[in-house]
């Protein structure tokens, strides 16, 4: 899903990134001849292990601003970026701090993010009263938008009586979990499986969704969980799955919460050939490295279409790679962030065309929110987006990827999420296998 570029985190996390094409000005002020500055806020996990999630996604936002020429109708357009990782893992409290900071910045009229559902749950109650539009490129927990019996909180409570300000351009875990369950049971022929989660909002939720569908399909399972803050040895859990008779493992979790580290201990137990399945939280460079000598055989879903399978996206991806040339600059959610930012840029332009004044920040933010809420038939890189009343997208595609060993030429193209360059797993990459379209 995401690829890591740890070396440049410190250089970008603390301040805004400004697109300088067509004369963009500095953050917080106006460029030469500019009417002033309009900023799109960003909140993503961008340091330590979490960088494999945030940095390629951030680049998608930056690219959208660059493609816009760094300005909208005479206003300089910038990105106000914030890192919500603490100690290498996403952190909801840091996310709240970041969103509060963005709200207090009168140039910020909308934001892309957050990346993780637990952070979204914490941020929506802060952003909703300020009418700050949030479009997540990657949040998948259904409870953020859907009032389901399986949820332990309600979307209306998060919004505190305010109009909905939260949207996402990806499908949800109540689709992502079942897609992998069907793939495991029907395509891979796995009839008994161990299901593992790392006790987070995302991890438990997606594992529950997988479990329900897998059981409906006719499979049997053993369930276990671990605390990523204290667990360093998973052998007892893995042996428990082995004794149960499982022939594969599904993990609900993310790379920065140690979701792939159990995989790295499987070869020593003689079960390294088992499929190791998960959601978008493990479709990362970090996961491939954490899997160590058992990287081959890891499979993951992502909550959206694979841009590489969409012919109309090819030219955008080519242009992106000319602007972002690092070996791991392209991730699975780069293009969803690009689409999210472009939806906001469109909404900002509509507000300006209607005569709204960005200097009247509260009114302008509300105008942007209203425009985003009316998004219908938006033709993005990943397909057509229409938001429903809850903020969910009409595009309901789940993609499946599997780690395979690739040749040097395939790795060098930069289309794939691979192990860290120069590392022992550099040639192991997530390769698209198939997709499920629940909206068809």
């Amino acid at each position: 899903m995401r690829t890591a570029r740890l070396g440049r985190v410190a250089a970008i996390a603390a301040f805004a990134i400004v697109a300088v094409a067509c004369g963009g000005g500095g953050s917080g002020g106006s460029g030469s001849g500019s009417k002033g500055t309009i900023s799109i806020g960003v909140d993503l996990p961008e340091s330590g292990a979490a960088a494999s999630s945030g940095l390629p996604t951030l680049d998608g936002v930056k690219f959208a601003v660059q493609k816009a020429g760094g300005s909208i109708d005479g206003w300089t357009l910038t990105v106000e970026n914030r890192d919500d990782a603490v100690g290498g893992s996403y952190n909801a409290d840091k996310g709240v701090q970041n969103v509060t900071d963005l709200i207090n910045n009168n140039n910020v009229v909308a934001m892309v993010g957050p990346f993780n559902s637990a952070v979204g749950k914490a941020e929506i109650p802060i952003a909703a009263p300020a009418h700050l539009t949030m479009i997540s490129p990657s949040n998948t927990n259904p409870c953020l938008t859907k009032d389901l019996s399986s949820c332990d909180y309600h979307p209306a409570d998060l919004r505190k009586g305010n109009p909905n300000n939260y949207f996402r351009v990806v499908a949800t875990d109540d689709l992502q979990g079942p897609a992998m369950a069907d793939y495991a049971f029907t395509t891979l022929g796995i009839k008994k499986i161990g299901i593992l989660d790392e006790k987070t909002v995302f991890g438990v939720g997606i594992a529950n969704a997988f479990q329900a569908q897998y059981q409906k399909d006719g499979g049997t399972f053993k369930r276990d969980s671990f605390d990523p803050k204290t667990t360093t040895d998973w052998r007892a859990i893995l042996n428990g799955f082995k004794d149960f008779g499982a022939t594969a493992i599904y993990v609900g979790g993310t790379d920065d919460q140690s979701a792939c580290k159990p995989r790295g201990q499987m070869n020593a137990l003689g079960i390294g050939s088992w499929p190791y399945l998960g959601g978008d939280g493990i479709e990362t460079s970090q996961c491939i490295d954490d899997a160590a000598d058992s990287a081959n055989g890891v499979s993951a879903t992502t909550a959206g279409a694979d841009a590489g399978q969409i012919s109309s996206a090819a030219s955008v991806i080519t242009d992106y790679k000319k602007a972002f040339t690092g070996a791991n600059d392209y991730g699975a959610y780069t293009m969803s962030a690009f689409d999210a930012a472009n939806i906001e840029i469109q909404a900002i332009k509509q507000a300006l065309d209607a005569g709204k004044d960005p200097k009247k920040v509260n009114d302008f933010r509300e105008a942007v929110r209203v425009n985003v809420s009316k998004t219908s038939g938006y033709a993005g890189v990943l397909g057509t987006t229409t938001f429903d009343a809850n903020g969910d997208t009409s595009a309901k595609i789940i993609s499946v990827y599997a780690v395979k060993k690739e040749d040097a030429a395939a790795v060098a193209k930069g289309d794939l999420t691979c192990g860290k360059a120069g590392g022992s797993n550099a040639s192991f990459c997530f390769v698209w296998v198939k997709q499920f379209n629940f909206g068809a």
Side-chain angles (χ1 to χ4, degrees):
M1 177 180 67
R2 316 146 208 154
T3 50
R5 291 156 293 140
L6 307 184
R8 64 189 187 96
V9 176
I12 65 172
F15 51 83
I17 301 113
V18 181
V20 295
C22 297
S27 173
S30 60
S32 175
S34 172
K35 296 176 182 178
T37 297
I38 291 175
S39 299
I40 294 176
V42 174
D43 179 64
L44 301 166
E46 300 169 14
S47 53
S52 63
S53 302
L55 291 181
T57 310
L58 168 62
D59 285 345
V61 181
K62 292 164 61 181
F63 185 56
V65 172
Q66 290 181 7
K67 293 285 280 186
S71 65
I72 305 178
D73 292 352
W75 291 81
T76 299
L77 181 63
T78 74
V79 178
E80 277 286 343
N81 177 48
R82 301 293 184 271
D83 178 8
D84 64 34
V86 175
S89 300
Y90 69 85
N91 184 281
D93 290 338
K94 182 63 174 176
V96 168
Q97 178 183 327
N98 289 346
V99 167
T100 301
D101 186 39
L102 293 173
I103 290 170
N104 290 333
N105 184 331
N106 286 341
N107 291 333
V108 175
V109 300
M111 67 171 278
V112 174
F115 196 91
N116 300 95
S117 296
V119 182
K121 178 184 176 184
E123 289 182 350
I124 292 170
I126 308 301
H131 297 246
L132 181 68
T133 299
M134 308 165 63
I135 304 182
S136 175
S138 53
N139 283 173
T140 53
N141 189 282
C143 302
L144 295 173
T145 53
K146 303 176 184 181
D147 202 356
L148 304 175
S149 60
S150 58
C151 299
D152 59 4
Y153 60 92
H154 305 283
D157 295 335
L158 298 181
R159 288 148 183 79
K160 298 184 174 181
N162 294 287
N164 180 50
N165 69 309
Y166 173 84
F167 308 85
R168 51 183 158 196
V169 292
V170 291
T172 48
D173 291 338
D174 51 346
L175 302 178
Q176 193 175 184
M180 185 57 94
D182 288 345
Y183 179 73
F185 188 83
T186 303
T187 302
L188 299 183
I190 298 164
K191 307 307 179 186
K192 299 185 77 171
I193 198 166
I195 302 176
L196 187 60
D197 71 74
E198 27 81 302
K199 298 184 178 180
T200 64
V201 170
F202 168 74
V204 173
I206 195 170
N208 287 347
F210 174 91
Q211 177 179 306
Q213 183 62 42
Y214 187 74
Q215 192 171 22
K216 186 183 297 184
D217 287 343
T220 56
F221 64 90
K222 176 178 173 60
R223 183 76 179 258
D224 213 327
S225 62
F226 68 91
D227 185 341
K229 295 179 180 178
T230 58
T231 306
T232 57
D233 189 339
W234 291 266
R235 286 176 295 180
I237 293 174
L238 296 172
N239 279 324
F241 291 152
K242 187 177 179 181
D243 292 342
F244 168 68
T247 59
I249 292 174
Y250 181 88
V251 61
T254 59
D255 57 352
D256 58 349
Q257 300 293 323
S258 301
C260 292
K261 290 182 178 178
R263 178 65 175 184
Q265 297 183 343
M266 289 174 63
N267 251 355
L269 300 179
I271 55 175
S273 62
W274 286 10
Y276 192 81
L277 316 174
D280 55 347
I282 71 167
E283 207 264 283
T284 68
S285 175
Q286 185 66 46
C287 179
I288 291 173
D289 290 340
D290 285 346
D293 58 357
S294 300
N296 196 32
V298 175
S299 295
T301 51
T302 61
D306 182 273
Q309 308 304 313
I310 303 172
S311 58
S312 60
S315 62
V316 178
I317 296 172
T318 297
D319 289 346
Y320 173 85
K321 290 178 181 177
K322 291 177 181 177
F324 299 89
T325 58
N328 292 320
D329 281 356
Y330 182 78
Y333 286 118
T334 299
M335 288 296 112
S336 61
F338 177 77
D339 277 353
N342 277 318
I343 290 171
E344 291 183 350
I345 290 169
Q346 174 182 267
I348 292 167
K349 189 175 190 310
Q350 289 170 339
L352 291 171
D353 289 345
K356 298 296 182 181
D357 184 358
K359 294 179 181 178
K360 296 180 180 178
V361 62
N362 292 330
D363 289 343
F364 196 82
R365 285 175 178 168
E366 172 59 11
V368 172
R369 187 203 66 78
V370 170
N371 291 336
V372 169
S373 73
K374 294 179 179 178
T375 298
S376 179
Y378 176 82
V381 175
L382 297 181
T384 301
T385 297
T386 296
F387 289 131
D388 65 19
N390 298 324
D392 281 322
T393 177
S394 56
K396 301 185 185 302
I397 294 174
I398 303 296
S399 296
V400 180
Y401 299 82
V403 173
K404 300 177 182 179
K405 190 169 186 178
E406 294 291 300
D407 60 33
V411 174
K413 283 182 64 179
D415 292 339
L416 304 173
T417 298
C418 305
K420 186 168 61 179
S424 60
N425 282 347
S427 62
F428 287 94
C429 308
F430 280 99
V431 178
W432 183 86
V433 176
K434 66 179 300 181
Q435 71 176 27
F436 294 82
N437 188 350
F438 291 93

